[in-house]
Amino acid sequence: MAKWGEGDPRWIVEERADATNVNNWHWTERDVSGWSSERLRQLLLGVRVDGPPGVCHVTDVAKLEGDASINNRKGKLIFFYEWQLRANWLGTSCGGVKFRGSVEVANLSDENDMDELDISVSLGKDQPDTPLLELMKTRGVQEVRRALGDYVTQLKSEFSQGMILPTASESKAPPPEEKRNPVQTSRTQICSAPECSPCPTPCVAGVRISTCGFNLKETFRTTPEELYRTFTNQEFVQVFSRSAAAVDARRGGRFQMMDGNVSGEFTQLVPYQHMEMRWRFRTWPGAHYANVSLQLVDGGDETELLMECRGVPLGEEDTTREGWTRFYFQAIKQTFGY
């Protein structure tokens, strides 16, 4: 059997000679320049900072030039955007004196990370020196960078839907799978006879499977809030997995992704902190789930993810570990720039 991450046929999109493929992915392109222009203006107009010198906020966007588009190439979503912008800001000192200036960004594009943006702040012509300028150069720049980062995140979530087209069989919601409550011993997982949700397939009880487990640790250059949404928001999941997905992010809610090869159920959700789920791969023995725990640790400008996976069928440990590393962690980083 091919290994997960080494050409595993369960994860490959096979093309036909007519340039389409068995999963019904097409070459599509969507121009999102209009939406981007409006959204950038909205986000920048929300920039406001205050400190000991006074208060500063963006009043208008004087220049916004560029374009943005989303392309689907053989099932892979590619985001293109390039913008040059200039916004005006107004500062009011503690004594009520007003100062005006501008902030410019010349290289907002898919080729640059947020921390690579060249953001310059200046006072207007003939404006006297003021501590408000330093406030804008420090906290103001941080807020502008955050607003532009929000634009990129929203671009990749709002307009990914419909770029990957499900097959006719995927267009219908998948039937609920058998619900089990596995109880794991040191090396053996025993699936007891649980109450099963209505489904056409009878539940199988008393299946004894030798299991193993592993831990993983990964660091993402984003906040716990954004990383949590990446795992629980259906559109985000569809983007990084590059396939149709169904995600019901609530306790007891089910998920299915990667053409149905991965499925499971959320058992505990603590927003922005912790996720637990029953997780399985399609080829595992019937009704068998591993227990996966994802802990998000806030590191300021980055988030450390601690993963604990228990109950993996013996012999599937390496492929499962590699699959999570490649098709979850690496895919999220490559897609969202985390």
Side-chain angles (χ1 to χ4, degrees):
M1 179 183 295
K3 296 295 185 181
W4 187 8
E6 297 179 357
D8 192 323
R10 296 170 292 181
W11 297 87
I12 292 178
V13 178
E14 300 175 2
E15 289 190 355
R16 298 191 182 99
D18 62 358
T20 61
N21 57 61
V22 296
N23 288 317
N24 199 30
W25 281 329
H26 300 273
W27 292 61
T28 56
E29 182 172 349
R30 180 178 296 178
D31 184 357
V32 294
S33 300
W35 176 90
S36 294
S37 178
E38 181 63 27
R39 192 65 188 126
L40 281 168
R41 290 181 186 277
Q42 293 174 352
L43 290 169
L44 288 170
L45 290 175
V47 171
R48 177 186 174 90
V49 293
D50 58 77
V55 178
C56 299
H57 68 277
V58 172
T59 58
D60 64 277
V61 180
K63 174 185 176 182
L64 187 55
E65 299 176 353
D67 52 41
S69 63
I70 305 174
N71 294 265
N72 179 6
R73 296 293 182 261
K74 299 181 181 180
K76 179 179 180 180
L77 285 177
I78 306 173
F79 299 84
F80 296 103
Y81 54 91
E82 185 171 3
W83 296 97
Q84 294 182 353
L85 59 92
R86 182 177 70 253
N88 295 320
W89 59 271
L90 173 66
T92 305
S93 70
C94 293
V97 180
K98 296 186 182 298
F99 299 84
R100 295 185 179 274
S102 63
V103 54
E104 295 194 43
V105 182
N107 61 339
L108 175 60
S109 77
D110 53 274
E111 297 181 353
N112 298 316
D113 293 332
M114 283 300 109
D115 56 4
E116 296 175 333
L117 294 184
D118 183 12
I119 305 176
S120 59
V121 178
S122 61
L123 276 171
K125 186 177 180 180
D126 299 329
Q127 293 281 299
D129 191 24
T130 171
L132 291 172
L133 177 60
E134 186 62 26
L135 178 65
M136 278 299 296
K137 285 185 175 180
T138 53
R139 295 186 57 191
V141 166
Q142 292 177 358
E143 285 302 300
V144 169
R145 197 183 304 275
R146 180 195 59 76
L148 299 179
D150 287 346
Y151 156 71
V152 174
T153 299
Q154 292 172 23
L155 171 67
K156 293 179 178 182
S157 60
E158 294 283 343
F159 284 91
S160 61
Q161 190 170 11
M163 292 299 293
I164 299 178
L165 306 177
T167 61
S169 61
E170 291 173 336
S171 62
K172 298 180 180 180
E177 297 186 26
E178 303 166 62
K179 186 175 182 181
R180 304 207 144 265
N181 296 313
V183 179
Q184 182 172 329
T185 61
S186 59
R187 295 287 294 181
T188 303
Q189 178 165 321
I190 302 174
C191 297
S192 59
E195 293 183 5
C196 300
S197 58
C199 59
T201 305
C203 295
V204 181
V207 179
R208 183 178 293 271
I209 301 172
S210 296
T211 65
C212 55
F214 61 88
N215 294 343
L216 289 175
K217 180 169 68 173
E218 194 75 25
T219 299
F220 296 85
R221 294 186 300 174
T222 187
T223 63
E225 290 82 3
E226 288 181 336
L227 189 57
Y228 180 87
R229 285 194 293 268
T230 301
F231 280 95
T232 57
N233 181 284
Q234 179 169 305
E235 292 181 351
F236 278 63
V237 173
Q238 288 185 138
V239 172
F240 80 73
S241 68
R242 303 188 178 102
S243 63
V247 181
D248 182 8
R250 59 187 176 86
R251 185 172 183 177
R254 301 194 64 81
F255 58 85
Q256 181 170 290
M257 56 190 291
M258 300 180 184
D259 294 331
N261 286 306
V262 168
S263 61
E265 176 185 344
F266 293 106
T267 56
Q268 184 177 5
L269 291 170
V270 180
Y272 318 139
Q273 298 179 30
H274 186 70
M275 291 167 277
E276 291 185 8
M277 63 189 80
R278 298 171 62 241
W279 186 99
R280 65 172 273 107
F281 201 59
R282 176 181 283 174
T283 59
W284 286 4
H288 180 84
Y289 290 82
N291 294 316
V292 175
S293 170
L294 301 176
Q295 186 75 30
L296 308 182
V297 181
D298 190 353
D301 57 351
E302 62 183 25
T303 299
E304 186 176 67
L305 186 149
L306 305 177
M307 175 189 178
E308 181 177 294
C309 184
R310 297 291 179 265
V312 177
L314 201 61
E316 294 282 342
E317 178 184 357
D318 291 340
T319 56
T320 304
R321 180 192 293 110
E322 182 180 356
W324 270 88
T325 300
R326 177 177 177 182
F327 295 103
Y328 277 91
F329 303 159
Q330 292 180 5
I332 288 173
K333 289 184 175 182
Q334 292 170 1
T335 302
F336 300 113
Y338 296 165

